[in-house]
Amino acid sequence: MLQDLLTALAVVASLGVLYVVSAARVVKQYERGVVFRLGRLAGDVRAPGFTMVVPFVDRLHKVNMQIVTLPVPAQEGITRDNVTVRVDAVVYFKVVDAANALVKVEDYRFAVSQMAQTSLRSIIGKSELDDLLSDREKLNQGLELMIDSPAVGWGVQIDRVEIKDVSLPDTMKRSMARQAEADRERRARIINADAELQASKKLAEAAEQMSEQPSALQLRLLQTVVAVAAEKNSTLVLPFPVELLRFLEKAQERPVER
């Protein structure tokens, strides 16, 4: 009798251990567990740690709650100003509702990827080339809003969207290079013209001052001669002052005193 009792206890204990092993599940810190009992959603989402399910009745699905980096393949489109471009981007998103991510959509990763590609093509068609090249922050916000609107119902939150690169045709690159070169040349000419204008104003002021004091012109001439004479390998050509000619002319006009 005792032998049968010990055997029964051993069988019950073995069945208990087998049940625990079959029912035991471990949910990691960055995961959430969703239990389906006979095909229906059962209870709340399981938190990280050790949990139990009913063997052969419950099925536990683990959903990753980490931020997912999803590259968006390059999309080709025509901008609003009729320029063909290829734009690629990257989407950062995470699951905020594990139950909806499994129930509301078949594959939330694929759904977010397709929505991102469609939204990117739409953004290309609504934007101009200058916006794609210089105002990406605004386009990133618009793209994020377009993807996040349907994703909220899937239990997915879009964390950030970034446009990575904008590829242009070679002809457009050459045209933009010529435009930039012409713009730089235009600015250089404006700067040179402005410098000439300022220099001419200063020279006019200097000439006005020297006209009042003829000796100032002589001093300036001597300074120039000293500066040129410092270079011993230079040939100095001394100009004849016009003021001296005027002085001689005035001396000839004076009447001879008797």
Side-chain angles (χ1 to χ4, degrees), residues 34-42 56-59 61 102-103:
V34 180
V35 178
F36 289 92
R37 181 165 298 164
L38 298 177
R40 299 185 62 181
L41 186 64
F56 309 110
V57 176
D58 293 346
R59 184 177 295 273
H61 293 269
L102 290 178
V103 176

Side-chain angles (χ1 to χ4, degrees), residues 35-101:
V35 178
F36 289 92
R37 181 165 298 164
L38 298 177
R40 299 185 62 181
L41 186 64
D44 297 331
V45 176
R46 304 293 177 90
F50 180 80
T51 185
M52 298 283 290
V53 297
V54 179
F56 309 110
V57 176
D58 293 346
R59 184 177 295 273
L60 178 67
H61 293 269
K62 300 177 182 179
V63 180
N64 193 327
M65 307 295 288
Q66 294 175 310
I67 294 178
V68 179
T69 303
L70 180 66
V72 181
Q75 302 297 311
E76 185 172 351
I78 301 177
T79 61
R80 194 166 59 181
D81 49 352
N82 298 324
V83 179
T84 303
V85 295
R86 287 176 60 87
V87 182
D88 58 350
V90 59
V91 179
Y92 301 90
F93 71 93
K94 61 181 178 180
V95 177
V96 294
D97 191 334
N100 284 339

Side-chain angles (χ1 to χ4, degrees), residues 167-230:
S167 300
L168 300 174
D170 293 337
T171 55
M172 180 56 64
K173 291 180 180 179
R174 289 192 293 269
S175 299
M176 294 179 65
R178 289 195 298 268
Q179 180 182 0
E181 184 178 357
D183 185 66
R184 287 193 296 268
E185 185 177 355
R186 177 183 62 84
R187 286 183 292 177
R189 290 184 177 180
I190 291 175
I191 293 173
N192 289 333
D194 186 57
E196 291 290 339
L197 177 61
Q198 295 180 10
S200 63
K201 290 181 179 179
K202 294 298 182 181
L203 289 174
E205 294 177 2
E208 183 178 357
Q209 292 291 332
M210 290 181 180
S211 64
E212 297 177 358
Q213 298 291 337
S215 59
L217 183 61
Q218 298 295 330
L219 293 176
R220 183 71 184 116
L221 177 62
L222 294 176
Q223 290 178 356
T224 305
V225 171
V226 171
V228 175

